[in-house]
mmCIF file of all heavy atoms in Angstrom:
data_model
loop_
_atom_site.group_PDB
_atom_site.id
_atom_site.type_symbol
_atom_site.label_atom_id
_atom_site.label_comp_id
_atom_site.label_asym_id
_atom_site.label_seq_id
_atom_site.Cartn_x
_atom_site.Cartn_y
_atom_site.Cartn_z
ATOM 1 N N MET A 23 174.244 68.035 83.980
ATOM 2 C CA MET A 23 173.377 69.200 84.059
ATOM 3 C C MET A 23 172.935 69.412 85.483
ATOM 4 O O MET A 23 173.299 70.377 86.070
ATOM 5 C CB MET A 23 172.160 69.038 83.146
ATOM 6 C CG MET A 23 172.453 68.999 81.682
ATOM 7 S SD MET A 23 173.118 70.544 81.049
ATOM 8 C CE MET A 23 171.903 71.756 81.533
ATOM 9 N N MET A 30 176.858 63.623 80.454
ATOM 10 C CA MET A 30 177.524 63.161 79.241
ATOM 11 C C MET A 30 178.968 63.587 79.288
ATOM 12 O O MET A 30 179.297 64.765 79.345
ATOM 13 C CB MET A 30 176.850 63.677 77.987
ATOM 14 C CG MET A 30 177.454 63.151 76.698
ATOM 15 S SD MET A 30 176.788 63.966 75.200
ATOM 16 C CE MET A 30 175.115 63.537 75.295
ATOM 17 N N ARG A 31 179.856 62.617 79.333
ATOM 18 C CA ARG A 31 181.284 62.912 79.437
ATOM 19 C C ARG A 31 181.897 63.057 78.064
ATOM 20 O O ARG A 31 181.326 62.562 77.078
ATOM 21 C CB ARG A 31 182.021 61.824 80.181
ATOM 22 C CG ARG A 31 181.447 61.507 81.571
ATOM 23 C CD ARG A 31 181.862 60.148 82.085
ATOM 24 N NE ARG A 31 181.528 59.079 81.137
ATOM 25 C CZ ARG A 31 182.216 57.943 81.006
ATOM 26 N NH1 ARG A 31 183.265 57.700 81.721
ATOM 27 N NH2 ARG A 31 181.826 57.062 80.118
ATOM 28 N N ILE A 32 183.060 63.638 77.942
ATOM 29 C CA ILE A 32 183.716 63.851 76.677
ATOM 30 C C ILE A 32 184.014 62.474 76.008
ATOM 31 O O ILE A 32 183.936 62.365 74.770
ATOM 32 C CB ILE A 32 184.958 64.778 76.761
ATOM 33 C CG1 ILE A 32 185.431 65.211 75.381
ATOM 34 C CG2 ILE A 32 186.088 64.062 77.512
ATOM 35 C CD1 ILE A 32 184.473 66.093 74.625
ATOM 36 N N VAL A 35 181.356 61.161 73.583
ATOM 37 C CA VAL A 35 181.209 61.677 72.226
ATOM 38 C C VAL A 35 182.487 61.437 71.413
ATOM 39 O O VAL A 35 182.633 61.924 70.306
ATOM 40 C CB VAL A 35 180.823 63.157 72.142
ATOM 41 C CG1 VAL A 35 179.443 63.340 72.778
ATOM 42 C CG2 VAL A 35 181.816 64.059 72.819
ATOM 43 N N PRO A 65 182.895 66.770 81.612
ATOM 44 C CA PRO A 65 181.594 66.896 80.880
ATOM 45 C C PRO A 65 181.744 67.441 79.443
ATOM 46 O O PRO A 65 182.465 68.376 79.240
ATOM 47 C CB PRO A 65 180.793 67.890 81.758
ATOM 48 C CG PRO A 65 181.426 67.736 83.127
ATOM 49 C CD PRO A 65 182.913 67.502 82.847
ATOM 50 N N ALA A 66 181.118 66.755 78.518
ATOM 51 C CA ALA A 66 181.199 67.143 77.104
ATOM 52 C C ALA A 66 180.729 68.589 76.901
ATOM 53 O O ALA A 66 181.306 69.346 76.103
ATOM 54 C CB ALA A 66 180.385 66.163 76.247
ATOM 55 N N ILE A 67 179.621 68.930 77.627
ATOM 56 C CA ILE A 67 179.131 70.304 77.452
ATOM 57 C C ILE A 67 180.159 71.349 77.870
ATOM 58 O O ILE A 67 180.324 72.361 77.195
ATOM 59 C CB ILE A 67 177.793 70.455 78.249
ATOM 60 C CG1 ILE A 67 176.742 69.574 77.611
ATOM 61 C CG2 ILE A 67 177.380 71.915 78.322
ATOM 62 C CD1 ILE A 67 175.504 69.413 78.470
ATOM 63 N N GLU A 68 180.873 71.050 78.931
ATOM 64 C CA GLU A 68 181.967 71.964 79.389
ATOM 65 C C GLU A 68 183.022 72.104 78.330
ATOM 66 O O GLU A 68 183.479 73.260 78.040
ATOM 67 C CB GLU A 68 182.556 71.398 80.669
ATOM 68 C CG GLU A 68 183.716 72.196 81.220
ATOM 69 C CD GLU A 68 184.374 71.529 82.425
ATOM 70 O OE1 GLU A 68 183.615 71.081 83.309
ATOM 71 O OE2 GLU A 68 185.574 71.459 82.466
ATOM 72 N N VAL A 69 183.447 71.029 77.699
ATOM 73 C CA VAL A 69 184.488 71.064 76.693
ATOM 74 C C VAL A 69 184.001 71.879 75.477
ATOM 75 O O VAL A 69 184.710 72.796 74.979
ATOM 76 C CB VAL A 69 184.946 69.665 76.243
ATOM 77 C CG1 VAL A 69 185.952 69.737 75.117
ATOM 78 C CG2 VAL A 69 185.566 68.958 77.441
ATOM 79 N N PHE A 70 182.827 71.559 74.971
ATOM 80 C CA PHE A 70 182.341 72.226 73.757
ATOM 81 C C PHE A 70 181.969 73.703 74.024
ATOM 82 O O PHE A 70 181.948 74.521 73.124
ATOM 83 C CB PHE A 70 181.176 71.456 73.109
ATOM 84 C CG PHE A 70 181.658 70.414 72.161
ATOM 85 C CD1 PHE A 70 181.909 69.128 72.627
ATOM 86 C CD2 PHE A 70 181.892 70.695 70.820
ATOM 87 C CE1 PHE A 70 182.373 68.125 71.780
ATOM 88 C CE2 PHE A 70 182.370 69.717 69.974
ATOM 89 C CZ PHE A 70 182.616 68.435 70.439
ATOM 90 N N SER A 71 181.698 74.029 75.265
ATOM 91 C CA SER A 71 181.407 75.425 75.659
ATOM 92 C C SER A 71 182.677 76.270 75.592
ATOM 93 O O SER A 71 182.593 77.520 75.404
ATOM 94 C CB SER A 71 180.846 75.510 77.058
ATOM 95 O OG SER A 71 179.593 74.905 77.084
ATOM 96 N N ILE A 99 182.294 66.035 64.811
ATOM 97 C CA ILE A 99 181.230 65.808 65.883
ATOM 98 C C ILE A 99 180.086 66.796 65.661
ATOM 99 O O ILE A 99 178.923 66.400 65.716
ATOM 100 C CB ILE A 99 181.840 66.000 67.278
ATOM 101 C CG1 ILE A 99 182.815 64.863 67.606
ATOM 102 C CG2 ILE A 99 180.719 66.064 68.317
ATOM 103 C CD1 ILE A 99 182.222 63.514 67.738
ATOM 104 N N LEU A 103 176.286 65.538 64.928
ATOM 105 C CA LEU A 103 175.217 65.901 65.828
ATOM 106 C C LEU A 103 174.139 66.730 65.099
ATOM 107 O O LEU A 103 172.933 66.483 65.270
ATOM 108 C CB LEU A 103 175.751 66.717 66.996
ATOM 109 C CG LEU A 103 176.546 65.889 68.028
ATOM 110 C CD1 LEU A 103 177.137 66.852 69.064
ATOM 111 C CD2 LEU A 103 175.771 64.803 68.679
ATOM 112 N N LYS A 107 170.793 64.789 65.167
ATOM 113 C CA LYS A 107 170.023 65.229 66.364
ATOM 114 C C LYS A 107 169.591 66.670 66.334
ATOM 115 O O LYS A 107 168.801 67.078 67.160
ATOM 116 C CB LYS A 107 170.895 65.003 67.586
ATOM 117 C CG LYS A 107 171.268 63.578 67.892
ATOM 118 C CD LYS A 107 170.116 62.847 68.535
ATOM 119 C CE LYS A 107 170.511 61.466 68.935
ATOM 120 N NZ LYS A 107 169.378 60.805 69.557
ATOM 121 N N GLN A 112 169.996 75.269 66.368
ATOM 122 C CA GLN A 112 170.601 74.671 67.580
ATOM 123 C C GLN A 112 172.150 74.714 67.469
ATOM 124 O O GLN A 112 172.668 74.323 66.414
ATOM 125 C CB GLN A 112 170.139 73.268 67.822
ATOM 126 C CG GLN A 112 168.815 73.147 68.457
ATOM 127 C CD GLN A 112 168.584 71.746 68.955
ATOM 128 O OE1 GLN A 112 168.652 70.803 68.182
ATOM 129 N NE2 GLN A 112 168.329 71.581 70.248
ATOM 130 N N THR A 113 172.786 75.035 68.528
ATOM 131 C CA THR A 113 174.249 74.937 68.566
ATOM 132 C C THR A 113 174.610 73.536 69.029
ATOM 133 O O THR A 113 173.734 72.783 69.495
ATOM 134 C CB THR A 113 174.866 75.933 69.576
ATOM 135 O OG1 THR A 113 174.459 75.565 70.896
ATOM 136 C CG2 THR A 113 174.415 77.380 69.274
ATOM 137 N N THR A 114 175.880 73.183 68.938
ATOM 138 C CA THR A 114 176.330 71.896 69.403
ATOM 139 C C THR A 114 176.051 71.738 70.897
ATOM 140 O O THR A 114 175.615 70.679 71.354
ATOM 141 C CB THR A 114 177.822 71.707 69.120
ATOM 142 O OG1 THR A 114 178.020 71.810 67.700
ATOM 143 C CG2 THR A 114 178.369 70.384 69.609
ATOM 144 N N VAL A 115 176.295 72.778 71.683
ATOM 145 C CA VAL A 115 176.022 72.716 73.082
ATOM 146 C C VAL A 115 174.545 72.500 73.363
ATOM 147 O O VAL A 115 174.160 71.661 74.196
ATOM 148 C CB VAL A 115 176.559 74.020 73.812
ATOM 149 C CG1 VAL A 115 176.099 74.033 75.244
ATOM 150 C CG2 VAL A 115 178.080 74.029 73.729
ATOM 151 N N ASP A 116 173.680 73.150 72.621
ATOM 152 C CA ASP A 116 172.206 72.943 72.716
ATOM 153 C C ASP A 116 171.874 71.441 72.503
ATOM 154 O O ASP A 116 171.115 70.846 73.243
ATOM 155 C CB ASP A 116 171.427 73.773 71.742
ATOM 156 C CG ASP A 116 171.513 75.275 71.949
ATOM 157 O OD1 ASP A 116 171.783 75.689 73.094
ATOM 158 O OD2 ASP A 116 171.288 75.986 70.962
ATOM 159 N N ILE A 117 172.467 70.864 71.456
ATOM 160 C CA ILE A 117 172.175 69.444 71.145
ATOM 161 C C ILE A 117 172.660 68.575 72.271
ATOM 162 O O ILE A 117 172.007 67.630 72.656
ATOM 163 C CB ILE A 117 172.772 69.071 69.759
ATOM 164 C CG1 ILE A 117 172.163 69.879 68.663
ATOM 165 C CG2 ILE A 117 172.656 67.582 69.538
ATOM 166 C CD1 ILE A 117 172.877 69.789 67.335
ATOM 167 N N LEU A 118 173.883 68.845 72.760
ATOM 168 C CA LEU A 118 174.406 68.046 73.858
ATOM 169 C C LEU A 118 173.526 68.129 75.105
ATOM 170 O O LEU A 118 173.298 67.116 75.793
ATOM 171 C CB LEU A 118 175.849 68.433 74.178
ATOM 172 C CG LEU A 118 176.900 68.135 73.091
ATOM 173 C CD1 LEU A 118 178.244 68.750 73.464
ATOM 174 C CD2 LEU A 118 177.029 66.620 72.868
ATOM 175 N N ILE A 119 173.057 69.311 75.403
ATOM 176 C CA ILE A 119 172.143 69.490 76.549
ATOM 177 C C ILE A 119 170.854 68.671 76.356
ATOM 178 O O ILE A 119 170.422 67.947 77.266
ATOM 179 C CB ILE A 119 171.839 70.971 76.797
ATOM 180 C CG1 ILE A 119 173.058 71.688 77.334
ATOM 181 C CG2 ILE A 119 170.641 71.137 77.740
ATOM 182 C CD1 ILE A 119 172.919 73.220 77.338
ATOM 183 N N ASP A 120 170.285 68.750 75.169
ATOM 184 C CA ASP A 120 169.074 67.945 74.843
ATOM 185 C C ASP A 120 169.354 66.452 75.014
ATOM 186 O O ASP A 120 168.499 65.710 75.596
ATOM 187 C CB ASP A 120 168.591 68.211 73.442
ATOM 188 C CG ASP A 120 167.929 69.605 73.310
ATOM 189 O OD1 ASP A 120 167.664 70.262 74.336
ATOM 190 O OD2 ASP A 120 167.661 70.031 72.161
ATOM 191 N N MET A 121 170.509 66.003 74.511
ATOM 192 C CA MET A 121 170.796 64.606 74.592
ATOM 193 C C MET A 121 170.973 64.192 76.067
ATOM 194 O O MET A 121 170.555 63.115 76.489
ATOM 195 C CB MET A 121 172.081 64.277 73.821
ATOM 196 C CG MET A 121 171.866 64.290 72.319
ATOM 197 S SD MET A 121 173.397 63.994 71.419
ATOM 198 C CE MET A 121 173.752 62.274 71.804
ATOM 199 N N GLU A 122 171.656 65.010 76.854
ATOM 200 C CA GLU A 122 171.928 64.742 78.240
ATOM 201 C C GLU A 122 170.632 64.603 79.051
ATOM 202 O O GLU A 122 170.518 63.812 80.004
ATOM 203 C CB GLU A 122 172.845 65.801 78.844
ATOM 204 C CG GLU A 122 173.448 65.393 80.156
ATOM 205 C CD GLU A 122 174.537 66.353 80.600
ATOM 206 O OE1 GLU A 122 175.731 66.143 80.208
ATOM 207 O OE2 GLU A 122 174.194 67.307 81.310
ATOM 208 N N LEU A 123 169.617 65.351 78.656
ATOM 209 C CA LEU A 123 168.319 65.332 79.367
ATOM 210 C C LEU A 123 167.401 64.275 78.880
ATOM 211 O O LEU A 123 166.391 63.986 79.534
ATOM 212 C CB LEU A 123 167.663 66.704 79.278
ATOM 213 C CG LEU A 123 168.392 67.864 79.957
ATOM 214 C CD1 LEU A 123 167.726 69.184 79.623
ATOM 215 C CD2 LEU A 123 168.466 67.635 81.452
ATOM 216 N N ASP A 124 167.685 63.682 77.749
ATOM 217 C CA ASP A 124 166.810 62.646 77.119
ATOM 218 C C ASP A 124 166.942 61.358 77.835
ATOM 219 O O ASP A 124 168.025 60.718 77.814
ATOM 220 C CB ASP A 124 167.184 62.530 75.625
ATOM 221 C CG ASP A 124 166.318 61.593 74.880
ATOM 222 O OD1 ASP A 124 165.607 60.735 75.453
ATOM 223 O OD2 ASP A 124 166.316 61.708 73.647
ATOM 224 N N PHE A 132 174.576 57.314 76.296
ATOM 225 C CA PHE A 132 175.003 58.303 75.293
ATOM 226 C C PHE A 132 175.888 57.691 74.233
ATOM 227 O O PHE A 132 176.552 58.379 73.478
ATOM 228 C CB PHE A 132 175.728 59.497 75.946
ATOM 229 C CG PHE A 132 174.985 60.108 77.117
ATOM 230 C CD1 PHE A 132 175.515 59.972 78.388
ATOM 231 C CD2 PHE A 132 173.813 60.766 76.927
ATOM 232 C CE1 PHE A 132 174.810 60.559 79.472
ATOM 233 C CE2 PHE A 132 173.103 61.314 77.997
ATOM 234 C CZ PHE A 132 173.619 61.226 79.272
ATOM 235 N N LEU A 137 178.604 57.744 66.371
ATOM 236 C CA LEU A 137 179.378 58.726 67.076
ATOM 237 C C LEU A 137 180.694 58.200 67.607
ATOM 238 O O LEU A 137 181.724 58.829 67.574
ATOM 239 C CB LEU A 137 178.569 59.279 68.242
ATOM 240 C CG LEU A 137 178.981 60.544 68.948
ATOM 241 C CD1 LEU A 137 179.132 61.720 67.978
ATOM 242 C CD2 LEU A 137 177.993 60.904 70.054
#
Side-chain angles (χ1 to χ4, degrees):
M23 294 295 305
M30 182 186 299
R31 306 163 304 149
I32 194 65
V35 297
I67 293 167
E68 177 185 314
V69 175
F70 275 88
S71 293
I99 292 292
L103 290 174
K107 297 282 186 179
Q112 279 194 304
T113 67
T114 300
V115 171
D116 294 336
I117 296 168
L118 292 174
I119 290 169
D120 287 349
M121 287 177 70
E122 195 170 271
L123 295 173
D124 184 339
F132 310 111
L137 194 57

